[in-house]
């Protein structure tokens, strides 16, 4: 690596950094330096569409890294009006880097690598919500956001139908994130980061990537700490389920299993449309299941993430893991079938589980009903939130704490408008506070009825904990905030994030006892 060079133009400083693939020219606005759309892998086009990520062709002249590049092609959903921050396109295996102005090569700042969520089919590294300016500058860290293959491009498992695993690799989306982490290891020192202090963090499907890679042999040594926000830990499936999705996908396309060679030449729009069809069908037919998600392939994913954690086979890196108090409220508000909220959907899911595994002892129905009865009309929401996010996170924490310190949290803060909308602390509502980008999403009603001032305080406190964890592996808050003890077998200390933080011992005692451990094998 050569030292960073700078040039100046009308836009300000233009820092140039040499990477292993070629030099990139970013922008320094006086607060942060940023390099956008930096390639970490070749465009997944043609014969590379479903292959493991390949190195990009090297370049010698500085590549312009001042603007966002294309993001993964994906279906649009009017119920989820995501601002992707850039147009869709097929040359999207890129990442964005932010560093505080004044950062020099070799400074060794802690690094935070973000994996976005979106049910493994939506989202991008360039969403305005994930602009790393505030997090990098205020936290004095280097921030990296990663694009990876989504939907059928990232999680269609054609090898389950006998396809060649070189041409159609398993868990391609996970392999993309692994390749990006490899890029960070090899290049981040030139941007002022420390490759030995890399915190992998993500939310929803992105957190699912985090908890899955915590048990992946391929990820060993690529990150030193992890943060999983609302991880669908148990949304990792076996090859049989993946095969059924792959068969349906080919049926929608009208392509036979013997004609897989045709897939490389199909228009990307055709692939995306088929992804959308299958994605919409699966949770209706099998409540609680996603069409596209990591699978246990015996390679990148040797076993289910919770099983690996309980067997002591996750990487020994410190972990922050937690959920929001009202996760399922977002799915009710969107009228989305992704989570089984209505009684009939929950009943159907349990019936499917019983049919698949008749010898399985499911949670005691009386205990479950007693736990949720007091919640009135919201008991379905509570059960869905716990089934999809809370309990899987607790199970993972219970296992991983034998390997490394775990800090468990629950995000409870809600603005007046979120309470009026009956969203409260719904799925993804913590994101603006983690990034410090309050009001970054257009037409966001979050602060329409006030609450921005206290929201800013909550955001500062949360960002301080996250960046302190990245820098010191200690999620200390600002002076005067309660000490967030590790989650232990005796006290099960849990940080509740609200207008004021509090640490509560065994916050989830009643829910944890009701669900028990026997349910793990079907999730």
């Amino acid at each position: 690596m050569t030292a960073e060079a700078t040039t100046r133009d009308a836009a300000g400083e233009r820092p140039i950094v040499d990477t292993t693939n070629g030099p990139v020219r970013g922008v320094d606005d006086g607060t942060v330096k940023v390099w956008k759309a930096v390639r970490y892998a070749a465009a997944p086009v043609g014969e590379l569409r479903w292959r493991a990520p390949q190195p990009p062709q090297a370049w010698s002249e500085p590549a312009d890294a001042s603007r966002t590049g294309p993001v993964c092609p994906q279906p649009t959903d009017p119920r989820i009006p995501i601002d992707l921050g850039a147009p869709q396109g097929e040359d999207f295996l890129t990442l964005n880097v932010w560093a505080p102005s004044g950062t020099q090569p070799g400074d060794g700042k802690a690094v935070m690598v973000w994996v976005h969520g979106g049910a493994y089919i939506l989202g991008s590294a360039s969403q305005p919500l994930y602009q790393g300016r505030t997090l990098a500058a205020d936290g004095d860290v280097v921030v990296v956001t990663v694009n990876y293959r989504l939907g059928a491009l990232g999680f269609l498992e054609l090898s389950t139908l006998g396809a060649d695993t070189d041409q159609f690799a398993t868990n391609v989306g996970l392999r993309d994130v692994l390749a990006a982490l490899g890029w960070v290891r090899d290049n981040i020192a030139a941007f002022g980061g420390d490759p030995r202090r890399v915190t992998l963090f993500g939310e929803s499907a992105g957190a699912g990537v985090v908890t899955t890679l915590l048990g992946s042999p391929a990820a060993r040594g690529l990150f030193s700490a992890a943060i999983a926000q609302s991880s669908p830990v148990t949304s990792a499936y076996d090859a049989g389920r993946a095969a059924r999705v792959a068969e349906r996908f080919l049926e929608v396309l009208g392509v036979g299993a013997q004609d897989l060679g045709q897939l490389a030449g199909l228009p990307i729009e055709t692939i995306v449309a088929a992804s959308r069809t299958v994605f919409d069908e699966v949770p209706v037919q099998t409540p609680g299941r996603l069409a596209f998600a990591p699978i246990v392939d015996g390679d990148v994913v040797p076993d289910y993430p919770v099983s690996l954690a309980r067997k002591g086979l996750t990487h020994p890196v410190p972990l922050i893991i937690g959920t929001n108090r009202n996760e399922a409220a977002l799915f009710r508000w969107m009228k989305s079938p992704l989570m089984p909220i209505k009684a009939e959907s929950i009943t159907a899911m349990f019936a499917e589980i019983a049919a698949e595994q008749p010898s399985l002892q499911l949670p005691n129905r009386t205990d479950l009903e007693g736990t949720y009865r007091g919640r009135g009309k919201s008991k379905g929401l509570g059960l869905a939130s716990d089934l999809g996010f809370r309990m899987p996170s607790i199970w993972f924490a219970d296992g991983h704490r034998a390997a490394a310190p775990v800090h468990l949290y629950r995000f409870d803060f809600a603005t007046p408008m979120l309470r009026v909308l009956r969203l409260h602390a719904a799925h993804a509502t913590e994101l603006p506070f983690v990034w410090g980008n309050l009001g970054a999403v257009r037409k966001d009603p979050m602060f329409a009825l006030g609450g921005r001032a206290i929201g800013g305080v909550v955001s500062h406190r949360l960002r301080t904990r996250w960046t302190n964890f990245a820098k010191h592996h200690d999620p200390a808050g600002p002076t005067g905030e309660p000490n967030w003890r590790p989650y232990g077998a005796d006290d099960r200390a849990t940080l509740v994030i609200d207008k004021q933080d509090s640490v509560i011992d065994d916050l989830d005692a009643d829910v944890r006892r009701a669900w028990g451990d026997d349910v793990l094998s079907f999730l």
Side-chain angles (χ1 to χ4, degrees):
M1 294 291 176
T2 62
E4 178 189 296
T6 61
T7 59
R8 179 181 290 278
D9 61 14
E13 297 286 349
R14 300 294 305 276
I16 299 174
V17 174
D18 279 342
T19 75
T20 50
N21 302 311
V24 292
R25 180 189 286 113
V27 175
D28 184 347
D29 66 6
T31 299
V32 293
K33 301 176 182 181
V34 59
W35 296 263
K36 297 180 179 179
V38 179
R39 279 191 182 85
Y40 69 84
V45 296
E47 295 300 318
L48 299 184
R49 182 170 273 173
W50 277 286
R51 287 189 67 185
Q54 302 297 304
Q57 185 174 354
W59 61 89
S60 56
E61 293 299 316
D64 180 20
S66 65
R67 294 176 293 182
T68 54
V71 302
C72 182
Q74 56 195 269
T76 57
D77 188 337
R79 297 169 301 181
I80 314 174
I82 294 177
D83 181 355
L84 296 175
Q88 300 181 29
E90 293 190 78
D91 188 4
F92 63 87
L93 291 183
T94 60
L95 47 79
N96 308 309
V97 182
W98 286 265
S101 288
T103 302
Q104 298 298 317
D107 276 359
K109 295 183 185 296
V111 182
M112 301 183 73
V113 178
W114 175 254
V115 187
H116 69 80
Y120 296 107
I121 196 170
L122 303 170
S124 86
S126 301
Q127 290 174 234
L129 192 57
Y130 309 141
Q131 297 301 302
R133 177 187 176 88
T134 301
L135 192 62
D138 289 0
D140 195 30
V141 295
V142 177
V143 175
V144 181
T145 61
V146 177
N147 284 319
Y148 58 104
R149 277 173 277 189
L150 303 169
L153 295 173
F155 299 95
L156 177 68
E157 302 299 342
L158 292 167
S159 66
T160 61
L161 304 183
D164 175 60
T165 54
D166 180 58
Q167 193 68 31
F168 297 97
T170 57
N171 288 308
V172 173
L174 296 181
R175 294 177 191 270
D176 289 343
V177 176
L178 288 166
L181 287 168
W183 184 96
V184 169
R185 176 197 60 206
D186 297 340
N187 292 283
I188 207 65
F191 294 83
D194 185 349
R196 298 165 301 178
R197 286 196 298 158
V198 174
T199 295
L200 183 65
F201 73 132
E203 183 267 347
S204 195
V209 171
V210 172
T211 49
T212 302
L213 291 185
L214 275 166
S216 173
R220 184 174 292 110
L222 291 179
F223 54 94
S224 60
I227 302 174
Q229 301 167 207
S230 303
S231 173
V233 181
T234 49
S235 291
Y237 306 131
D238 61 24
R241 184 174 293 278
R244 292 191 291 275
V245 171
E247 288 170 350
R248 176 56 182 155
F249 183 81
L250 294 180
E251 182 181 323
V252 171
L253 286 178
V255 174
Q258 70 281 3
D259 299 316
L260 297 181
Q262 297 179 14
L263 296 178
L266 289 178
I268 191 64
E269 296 80 8
T270 302
I271 300 295
V272 169
S275 291
R276 172 63 185 271
T277 296
V278 177
F279 176 78
D280 287 345
E281 289 178 351
V282 166
V284 174
Q285 297 169 354
T286 54
R289 307 292 185 174
L290 296 171
F292 305 108
I295 69 157
V296 177
D297 62 359
D299 180 16
V300 174
V301 186
D303 200 349
Y304 297 101
V306 170
S307 296
L308 291 169
R310 288 165 64 86
K311 294 174 184 176
L313 297 177
T314 44
H315 301 306
V317 302
L319 170 68
I320 289 175
I321 189 168
T323 65
N324 296 355
R325 183 171 186 171
N326 311 98
E327 294 280 357
L330 177 68
F331 301 93
R332 176 187 62 185
W333 187 67
M334 296 189 307
K335 297 181 172 59
S336 169
L338 288 178
M339 288 193 72
I341 296 170
K342 294 182 179 180
E344 56 268 28
S345 297
I346 295 173
T347 300
M349 182 186 64
F350 273 82
E352 179 196 358
I353 293 163
E356 286 182 353
Q357 301 187 51
S359 62
L360 178 66
Q361 182 180 346
L362 295 175
N364 183 285
R365 186 178 183 88
T366 301
D367 287 345
L368 279 180
E369 289 180 348
T371 299
Y372 294 99
R373 184 180 295 115
R375 304 190 189 186
K377 294 181 179 179
S378 66
K379 67 179 181 180
L381 287 175
L383 195 155
S385 295
D386 291 340
L387 173 61
F389 297 103
R390 190 65 186 175
M391 284 310 304
S393 293
I394 290 172
W395 289 323
F396 194 90
D398 280 334
H400 186 72
R401 70 182 179 206
V406 172
H407 293 268
L408 184 70
Y409 76 88
R410 192 180 74 191
F411 183 85
D412 285 16
F413 180 72
T415 65
M417 189 63 180
L418 291 180
R419 293 195 291 271
V420 167
L421 293 173
R422 296 195 303 154
L423 284 168
H424 300 279
H427 188 66
T429 56
E430 90 285 7
L431 289 173
F433 302 94
V434 169
W435 287 90
N437 293 329
L438 305 183
V441 177
R442 289 180 296 176
K443 300 181 181 180
D444 183 356
M446 182 175 288
F447 298 105
L449 296 178
R452 186 180 291 273
I454 187 62
V457 173
V458 172
S459 176
H460 172 70
R461 200 167 61 230
L462 183 53
R463 285 183 284 115
T464 299
R465 290 192 185 277
W466 263 222
T467 54
N468 279 345
F469 180 71
K471 290 186 284 190
H472 313 300
H473 294 164
D474 178 9
T479 303
E481 292 302 322
N483 177 40
W484 186 6
R485 306 187 309 277
Y487 178 76
D490 296 329
D491 59 9
R492 297 179 178 271
T494 305
L495 178 72
V496 176
I497 302 167
D498 207 332
K499 291 180 181 180
Q500 296 293 329
D501 285 356
S502 58
V503 177
I504 298 177
D505 288 352
D506 209 357
L507 176 69
D508 305 283
D510 58 339
V511 173
R512 185 171 47 80
R513 284 193 294 267
W515 281 95
D517 291 333
D518 291 331
V519 73
L520 287 177
S521 58
F522 72 77
L523 293 170

